[in-house]
Amino acid sequence: MSSILERIVTYILGGLLGTAIGVLTNSFKLPIFEGEGMSVIIVAVTTILGLLASIIIIEAKSQAVLKHNNAIRDETVALITHEMRTALTSTGWAIDMVLKKYSQNLTPDDAELLKDANGSIKQTVMHSVNLLDISMLDIGKLHISLQWTTLDKVEQMFHEVMEKYNLGATKNGIKLVGDIKLDHDRKAEVDMMRLRIVLENLIENAFQYIGTGKKEIDVTISNDNKNMKIVVKDSGIGIPAKEKDKIFSEFYRASNARKALGSGSGIGLYTCCKYIKAHRGTLAFESKEGEGTTFFATVPLNTVADVDGFLKKI
Ligand code: ADP
């Protein structure tokens, strides 16, 4: 940002330069500028143009500085988050190794403690991946690592996630129902950690916006011939019709959600949408205010034969 002094000096210089150009133009006594009061008008017009030019220059300079500072901030956040994630991942591996190598010597309580610590580390790694992706999105450098995965791996991830949220559901009087029907021999190109972030985000939102009514959440994953489909349905506060088209925008929170829950970032769905698009899938929802919301995410599938064919081509 330009300092006030710098702004004032630039405006004065711009004005003076404009006045000088006006006086100089008058000194040529050009026939087209002849006439009563013309010299005053010319000086006035060139002075105003000089002032306008100085305003434009100052604004352009401020924008350039702001853009540069934002880029430095985003790169720094990305770098720190990356370092954090690497450190956490190695700590997680170290705990895993201790658990495997010394399992005989550990008391059940100690083993449980280490498992909990590892669970928290994995969760923090996921959050840092998400944080890193958000800053990468800002600088247009989101990279996700898609790998051909059989759907039984998705099923395994689904059970882990459901287990994680079951306890919270019971505590909060929420009926959480999970149902998974996947053809295990099918494959999809998936970044499992990001897909898990999407699933967890949709379930967490369903928890957050469940309201005070009947409190039911259904999570279903299934597939047809073309797609794997994740559906998270809740009986919560819903999304106001007028605000539906803004729900995937960065930082957007619907008015009823802000009222129901003071905290929230409006960044979760925005990132989920980018993740699913990177899987060449779709993310959509249906909702009625006061009745509930259903989110649908799809990820395209290939049969094993198709995948092999695809892999031969690259
Ligand atoms: P946050 O939950 O932190 O506000 P999100 O990006 O996850 O941010 O969601 C954006 C907005 O979408 C929420 O603020 C809320 O208005 C709306 N929303 C998302 N999921 C639901 C849901 N299951 N029920 C009602 N509103 C929802």
Side-chain angles (χ1 to χ4, degrees):
M1 283 286 180
S2 320
S3 71
I4 299 210
L5 187 68
E6 190 186 346
R7 277 174 185 260
I8 294 172
V9 170
T10 314
Y11 296 153
I12 293 174
L13 283 178
L16 284 176
L17 189 69
T19 311
I21 292 171
V23 171
L24 196 69
T25 312
N26 280 337
S27 71
F28 290 129
K29 299 200 181 317
L30 298 172
I32 49 161
F33 294 140
E34 270 177 13
E36 210 178 320
M38 264 318 257
S39 53
V40 179
I41 292 172
I42 288 167
V43 173
V45 169
T46 51
T47 306
I48 290 169
L49 287 177
L51 266 171
L52 279 177
S54 62
I55 292 171
I56 291 169
I57 289 169
I58 283 283
E59 285 314 314
K61 208 173 140 200
S62 301
Q63 287 304 320
V65 171
L66 197 69
K67 214 171 150 190
H68 179 68
N69 289 346
N70 282 346
I72 292 179
R73 187 205 58 200
D74 290 339
E75 300 257 4
T76 313
V77 171
L79 195 75
I80 294 172
T81 321
H82 183 263
E83 294 302 317
M84 227 168 74
R85 192 184 67 182
T86 313
L88 282 169
T89 310
S90 355
T91 317
W93 282 338
I95 295 182
D96 262 345
M97 267 180 62
V98 171
L99 273 169
K100 272 187 203 136
K101 213 167 161 186
Y102 302 104
S103 60
Q104 314 283 6
N105 310 342
L106 293 170
T107 65
D109 280 356
D110 287 347
E112 204 50 43
L113 262 175
L114 282 177
K115 269 187 205 151
D116 281 354
N118 216 3
S120 306
I121 285 172
K122 280 186 183 140
Q123 197 61 29
T124 318
V125 167
M126 249 174 61
H127 286 315
S128 65
V129 166
N130 197 207
L131 188 65
L132 181 63
D133 286 347
I134 290 165
S135 42
M136 284 303 195
L137 273 170
D138 283 345
I139 50 178
K141 287 186 187 164
L142 174 70
H143 291 297
I144 78 165
S145 40
L146 296 174
Q147 282 175 357
W148 288 109
T149 312
T150 45
L151 298 189
D152 57 330
K153 301 276 183 339
V154 176
E155 182 153 343
Q156 194 183 321
M157 181 272 281
F158 168 84
H159 290 305
E160 284 170 17
V161 170
M162 292 306 286
E163 197 185 318
K164 178 177 155 188
Y165 288 101
N166 264 327
L167 192 67
T170 316
K171 269 190 196 157
N172 292 293
I174 296 170
K175 188 177 164 206
L176 176 65
V177 178
D179 186 20
I180 187 150
K181 279 189 205 87
L182 287 175
D183 295 328
H184 288 182
D185 59 335
R186 289 295 187 88
K187 283 189 178 181
E189 216 184 3
V190 163
D191 179 325
M192 196 58 82
M193 192 185 279
R194 267 100 181 175
L195 194 67
R196 184 182 178 131
I197 293 176
V198 172
L199 181 62
E200 292 200 354
N201 231 308
L202 296 180
I203 298 179
E204 266 163 36
N205 277 348
F207 266 74
Q208 273 177 338
Y209 303 116
I210 197 68
T212 50
K214 60 177 172 164
K215 295 195 175 188
E216 282 178 14
I217 301 173
D218 290 318
V219 185
T220 317
I221 305 190
S222 58
N223 73 274
D224 58 19
N225 261 342
K226 287 191 175 154
N227 293 299
M228 172 166 68
K229 199 168 174 183
I230 300 174
V231 181
V232 180
K233 181 174 191 273
D234 68 63
S235 59
I237 62 172
I239 297 171
K242 269 196 228 151
E243 300 178 64
K244 281 184 179 171
D245 53 346
K246 300 189 200 116
I247 238 49
F248 291 118
S249 313
E250 198 177 5
F251 306 125
Y252 192 80
R253 303 195 65 222
S255 48
N256 62 339
R258 274 182 272 132
K259 229 183 266 169
L261 194 82
S263 60
S265 63
I267 198 83
L269 280 186
Y270 170 76
T271 347
C272 286
C273 193
K274 299 281 177 189
Y275 284 161
I276 292 293
K277 276 192 181 154
H279 281 80
R280 285 173 267 147
T282 57
L283 181 62
F285 69 92
E286 278 170 6
S287 184
K288 204 158 184 199
E289 195 173 1
E291 290 188 15
T293 306
T294 308
F295 276 91
F296 309 90
T298 64
V299 172
L301 291 186
N302 276 64
T303 59
V304 175
D306 286 340
V307 173
D308 291 343
F310 176 85
L311 289 176
K312 270 185 204 131
K313 278 190 221 145
I314 54 174

